[in-house]
Amino acid sequence: MKVLETDIAVIGSGPAGLAAALEASRLGKRVTLIERSDDLGGILQQCIHDGFGLIRFKKQLSGPQYAERFIEELKASDVSLLMDTTVLSIENEHKLIRAVSPKEGVLEIRPGAVVLAMGCRERTRSQVEIYGTRPSGVMTAGTVQRYINLEGYLPGRRAVILGSGDIGLIMARRMHLEGIEVLGVYELMPEVGGLARNVYQCLIDYDIPLHLSTTVKEVFGDERLEGVRVVKVDENRRPIDGTEEDIACDLLVLSVGLIPENELSRKAGVLISPVTQGPVLDESMMTSVPGIFAAGNVSIVFDLVDYVSDSAEAAARGAVRYLDGQAPSAEPLDVILGNNVASLLPTQYRVDYTGDELSFYLRVCKMESNVRVALRQGDRVIKSRKMPVVRLAEMVALTLLREDLALIESGMPLDIHIET
Amino acid sequence: MEGKLICISCPRGCELLVQTDERTGAFISVEGNACIRGSLFAEAEVNHPERMMTSVVSIRGAKHCMLPVISRRPLPKGKLVEAVRAMRSITVEAPIREGDVIAEDIVGTGIDVVAARSLSCRCD
Ligand SMILES: Cc1cc2nc3c(=O)[nH]c(=O)nc-3n(C[C@H](O)[C@H](O)[C@H](O)COP(=O)(O)OP(=O)(O)OC[C@H]3O[C@@H](n4cnc5c(N)ncnc54)[C@H](O)[C@@H]3O)c2cc1C
Ligand code: SF4
C-alpha cells in the first residue's frame, strides 16, 4: 500500500479545493489535492452558462472559464494531484486519510492538516413529498445539467420543473434552447427561490411560465414518466382541493435545494451545525476537530462562486497558521443570529485570531429594504454595512479588517442582525 | 411609454423602470439602476437586446465528448436559438485550448464562438 506524507491535504477540486490548494502552496506548504473524478473544477465544469466571477475577475465568465483560471495556476504550481482518487475516511483526528483509486488501489495519506472541499449534494425525490409510481424520467436539475452539458444527451422531450432555485431556472433555459419543451416551473413557496435576473433571462426571455404556491403532488407512468399532477397550495403549504391539474410530460426536473456533503465530515467526528447544515466552523474555518478545516459548499451553500473561493483561501490560511503553531487558542465566542438572520458562517470567533481579515456570510429569513447589517458586541457596533435590499436568494458578506477585529473584546458573545 | 426590466449585468438584479418613445419604441430614460451598467443595459435592452451564448459542441479524442463554448461578445437576442442550433453540427478534435476559436462569425452576427475550457488528448 502506498503511503504519502504532506503538509496539507485538500479533499475535492471544485473552486473551493482549487483556491485552498493554491493559497496553501503560495504560503510555502506542501499540498496534496485529492479528487474523486478525472476532471478538475468540480461542478463548475457542467455549469456552462455565464455569470461567474464578477467580484473576483470583474467579468462574467462561464463556469468552465472560471475554473480554468485556477487550473492554469495549479498546473504551474507544485501542488501534488491525486486524480480518480476517492477519500473514504479521515481518521485519528486529522492525521490519517484513507483513499482508493483504480490505479493505486488503497492509499494512505498522512497530512499535517486537512481542508474539506467536497461541495454539496442536491436534494432528491425522497426529500420532497411526491406520491405515485417510480418511473424513470424523474431527476435532479444537476443530473439533467450533466447529461446535456457533459454527455451531450437529451433526457426527455417535454419537461416540468419543480422548484425555482437558480439551477432549475438555468436548466429551464438550457433545455428550451436544446429543443426540449419546458411546460413550466412550479414553486411551492409564494416567492421565487432564485435570483430575479435568472427569472428574467431564463424564463421571461422564452415565455416559460412560472407558477408560485403550486407543487407537484403525484407522478404517473410505469417504466417511463407519463405525466405529473400539480396542485395549488394555501399559505400553510397545504394542497387546495379542486385545483389539481394533470400535465403530460416525460421529464420531471427537481430543483429543490442543496445541502452540504457531510458524509466524510460526520465519519471524521466533525460536529454538524443545524444553522448551516455543514460543519460548525470557527473564524479560521476550522471544524470541531482540530486540524480539519472546511471551505466552499461543504461548509454552507454559497450563492456566488467568488465567495466560495474567498472562503477557501481563508481556510487555507487557517490551516497554515495551525501547522505553524499560530492557531488561536482562546475560548471561542459564539456569534448569535439576531433579527432576520437565517444562517451564518462562521458561528464562532476567538479573540486571539491573527488573520488580517475575516468575512461573515449570512442568509436572511425574509426580504427587507433599506437595512443595515450589523455585527455587535453588547451595545457596541463592531462593523455594519448598509444594504438597499436583502433577499432570500442572495448571501450577504460582511468583511472585518484588522481595525474592526481590534474592537472585539473577550468574554462577551457577538451578535449579528439585520436592522431596519 | 413605461416598461419594467430587470438588469442582468450582476446578481443584484435591479428593477429598472424605462421610458420609451410612444412612436418609435426607442429608449428615452431609466430609473432604478444602482450603477452605470444598469443604464447601459436598459438602453441596449430596449434598442437592440443581446445575450451571451453558451453551449457545447462535440469533441473527439478527449476524455469528454462535449466541449463548452461561449460567444466572445453578446449576440442579438433574436439570433440566440439559431446560434445554439448551429453548435449541434460542430465537432472538433482534441487538443483544444481555452479561447481557441470554434466557429467564426456565428449565424452572420460577425461574432466568434470560443472554447470555454482546455481539453487535452485522452492519451496525454
Ligand atoms: C448541480 C449544481 C449546479 C450548480 N450550479 C451553479 C450555478 O449555476 N452557479 C453558481 O454560482 N453555483 C452553482 N452551484 C453551486 C456550486 O456548487 C458552487 O458555486 C461551487 O461550484 C461550489 O464549489 P465547491 O468547490 O465547494 O464544490 P464542487 O464544485 O461541488 O466540488 C466538489 C469536488 O469534490 C469532489 N469530491 C467530493 N467528495 C469527494 C471524496 N470523498 N473524495 C475526493 N473528492 C471528492 C467532487 O468530485 C468535486 O469535484 C451548483 C451546484 C450544483 C450541485
Ligand atoms: S444596475 Fe448595476 S447594481 Fe443593479 S443589477 Fe445592474 S449592474 Fe447590478
Side-chain angles (χ1 to χ4, degrees), chain A residues 54 60 197, chain B residues 6-16 32-39 41:
Chain A
L54 203 61
Q60 304 222 40
R197 73 163 180 168
Chain B
I6 306 274
C7 177
I8 59 170
S9 307
C10 93
R12 194 156 141 191
C14 294
E15 203 175 293
L16 310 177
N33 52 310
C35 79
I36 176 78
R37 276 178 302 156
S39 58
F41 171 79

Side-chain angles (χ1 to χ4, degrees), chain A residues 83-158:
Chain A
M83 299 302 292
D84 280 314
T85 307
T86 304
V87 171
L88 302 175
S89 64
I90 307 163
E91 296 165 29
N92 199 359
E93 298 205 305
H94 61 267
K95 297 183 195 77
L96 172 67
I97 291 177
R98 283 186 211 281
V100 57
S101 88
K103 217 161 57 195
E104 305 278 356
V106 178
L107 284 167
E108 260 187 38
I109 299 130
R110 303 208 174 130
V114 177
V115 179
L116 307 173
M118 293 92 70
C120 58
R121 263 188 207 195
E122 290 179 277
R123 287 207 170 87
T124 57
R125 177 172 172 181
S126 60
Q127 286 147 314
V128 284
E129 271 179 39
I130 304 174
Y131 301 102
T133 52
R134 306 225 136 231
S136 68
V138 181
M139 57 188 88
T140 65
T143 305
V144 175
Q145 193 176 43
R146 191 179 171 82
Y147 277 140
I148 299 180
N149 294 344
L150 289 183
E151 291 166 30
Y153 158 79
L154 299 184
R157 289 199 190 86
R158 284 167 60 85

Side-chain angles (χ1 to χ4, degrees), chain A residues 153-224:
Chain A
Y153 158 79
L154 299 184
R157 289 199 190 86
R158 284 167 60 85
V160 163
I161 302 179
L162 175 61
S164 62
D166 284 310
I167 310 172
L169 300 179
I170 299 273
M171 287 319 293
R173 171 178 64 182
R174 185 78 187 111
M175 288 192 288
H176 172 86
L177 286 173
E178 286 296 344
I180 298 176
E181 194 181 348
V182 182
L183 301 162
V185 175
Y186 294 84
E187 170 59 58
L188 176 71
M189 306 299 283
E191 198 184 323
V192 57
L195 298 173
R197 73 163 180 168
N198 284 336
V199 174
Y200 189 77
Q201 62 180 349
C202 298
L203 301 187
I204 296 175
D205 266 7
Y206 304 103
D207 294 323
I208 298 171
L210 169 65
H211 305 271
L212 298 173
S213 297
T214 313
T215 190
V216 171
K217 181 178 158 189
E218 208 174 326
V219 297
F220 313 109
D222 296 326
E223 303 252 305
R224 178 80 206 180

